Amino acid sequence: DAGVIQSPRHEVTEMGQEVTLRCKPISGHDYLFWYRQTMMRGLELLIYFNNNVPIDDSGMPEDRFSAKMPNASFSTLKIQPSEPRDSAVYFCASSLEFGEAFFGQGTRLTVV
Amino acid sequence: DQQVKQNSPSLSVQEGRISILNCDYTNSMFDYFLWYKKYPAEGPTFLISISSIKDKNEDGRFTVFLNKSAKHLSLHIVPSQPGDSAVYFCAASGRRDSSYKLIFGSGTRLLVRP
């Protein structure tokens, strides 16, 4: 398996634009997590899914953020409209029920 | 509120010596703990874990110790190698309440000097 795949690796966008981050989890994993890493807050959990169903989205900072998992092999994190303070590295991770989470390489988002 | 805390942002150790990274947690429902290692421009990679039914788990040069009464865990790396230089995150989850989300600490940057 190629591991968790995220795209794009880097995204630079202008304030106000819509941004969509994509993630392909490891096949067979039934948990998917979206994390955001910043200098100030470290690695913070935004939302996680179990069997494609959102379980806990309490970490989503604002209504501008939304996440979907239409099937077991794909998830998106969307920011609309984007703001400069959204600039961060966004990680997707997946896991089995009783196992460690495997992370993708992340998407570095810069909003100017 | 920070449920998982790593109070040392950085640590510098001589090659061959022991590195000890510490982590504290506040949520008594946490029963599974992990350490991750992160290099620049890469995602965190899993290193070692421990369940709350144990107080020690060892894997090669890496040992994790868990003190439940103190709500404290530590990662020992012996002997430390320059390639161990990275940011180390501890993480915790509470499986007993069916919460599988991992809560991370803020990380400790380890530098192993040759």
Side-chain angles (χ1 to χ4, degrees), chain A:
Chain A
D1 200 313
V4 176
I5 300 173
Q6 291 186 247
S7 65
R9 288 295 309 277
H10 302 274
E11 175 81 34
V12 180
T13 190
E14 289 186 347
M15 183 173 65
Q17 296 297 307
E18 177 180 297
V19 175
T20 299
L21 311 181
R22 296 172 176 79
C23 174
K24 181 181 188 311
I26 293 172
S27 176
H29 282 188
D30 45 10
Y31 284 83
L32 184 139
F33 308 85
W34 282 100
Y35 285 88
R36 176 172 70 175
Q37 184 184 21
T38 61
M39 289 293 292
M40 293 297 294
R41 300 174 70 89
L43 265 171
E44 51 178 340
L45 177 67
L46 301 177
I47 185 172
Y48 81 98
F49 296 83
N50 176 217
N51 291 324
N52 314 337
V53 176
I55 302 301
D56 186 339
D57 65 354
S58 58
M60 296 285 260
E62 299 172 33
D63 291 345
R64 298 184 297 107
F65 286 69
S66 62
K68 293 182 180 179
M69 193 165 184
N71 57 62
S73 59
F74 184 65
S75 177
T76 59
L77 178 68
K78 186 177 294 186
I79 309 172
Q80 165 64 17
S82 58
E83 296 182 3
R85 59 195 167 117
D86 301 331
S87 297
V89 182
Y90 291 81
F91 288 103
C92 174
S94 69
S95 75
L96 295 169
E97 183 173 9
F98 295 112
E100 67 273 17
F102 292 83
F103 282 77
Q105 291 193 293
T107 295
R108 180 173 294 277
L109 173 65
T110 303
V111 183
V112 298

Side-chain angles (χ1 to χ4, degrees), chain B residues 76-88:
Chain B
H76 292 210
I77 307 174
V78 181
S80 302
Q81 299 173 353
D84 296 330
S85 298
V87 178
Y88 289 78

Side-chain angles (χ1 to χ4, degrees), chain B residues 50-93:
Chain B
I50 188 167
S51 164
S52 60
I53 62 173
K54 294 185 173 183
D55 54 19
K56 177 183 174 182
N57 188 27
E58 193 171 350
D59 183 2
R61 297 186 297 115
F62 302 91
T63 303
V64 56
F65 295 91
L66 175 63
N67 182 334
K68 289 186 289 293
S69 61
K71 294 191 177 67
H72 177 84
L73 64 154
S74 60
L75 175 68
H76 292 210
I77 307 174
V78 181
S80 302
Q81 299 173 353
D84 296 330
S85 298
V87 178
Y88 289 78
F89 292 94
C90 69
S93 71

Side-chain angles (χ1 to χ4, degrees), chain B residues 10-67:
Chain B
S10 63
L11 175 68
S12 181
V13 171
Q14 191 74 36
E15 180 179 5
R17 299 290 183 95
I18 184 171
S19 294
I20 300 176
L21 298 106
N22 294 303
C23 180
D24 298 293
Y25 61 96
T26 57
N27 191 336
S28 58
M29 294 302 292
F30 288 150
D31 57 3
Y32 185 59
F33 305 89
L34 307 88
W35 284 94
Y36 281 79
K37 176 176 168 180
K38 186 182 181 304
Y39 293 118
E42 294 184 11
T45 55
F46 170 74
L47 200 53
I48 192 169
S49 64
I50 188 167
S51 164
S52 60
I53 62 173
K54 294 185 173 183
D55 54 19
K56 177 183 174 182
N57 188 27
E58 193 171 350
D59 183 2
R61 297 186 297 115
F62 302 91
T63 303
V64 56
F65 295 91
L66 175 63
N67 182 334

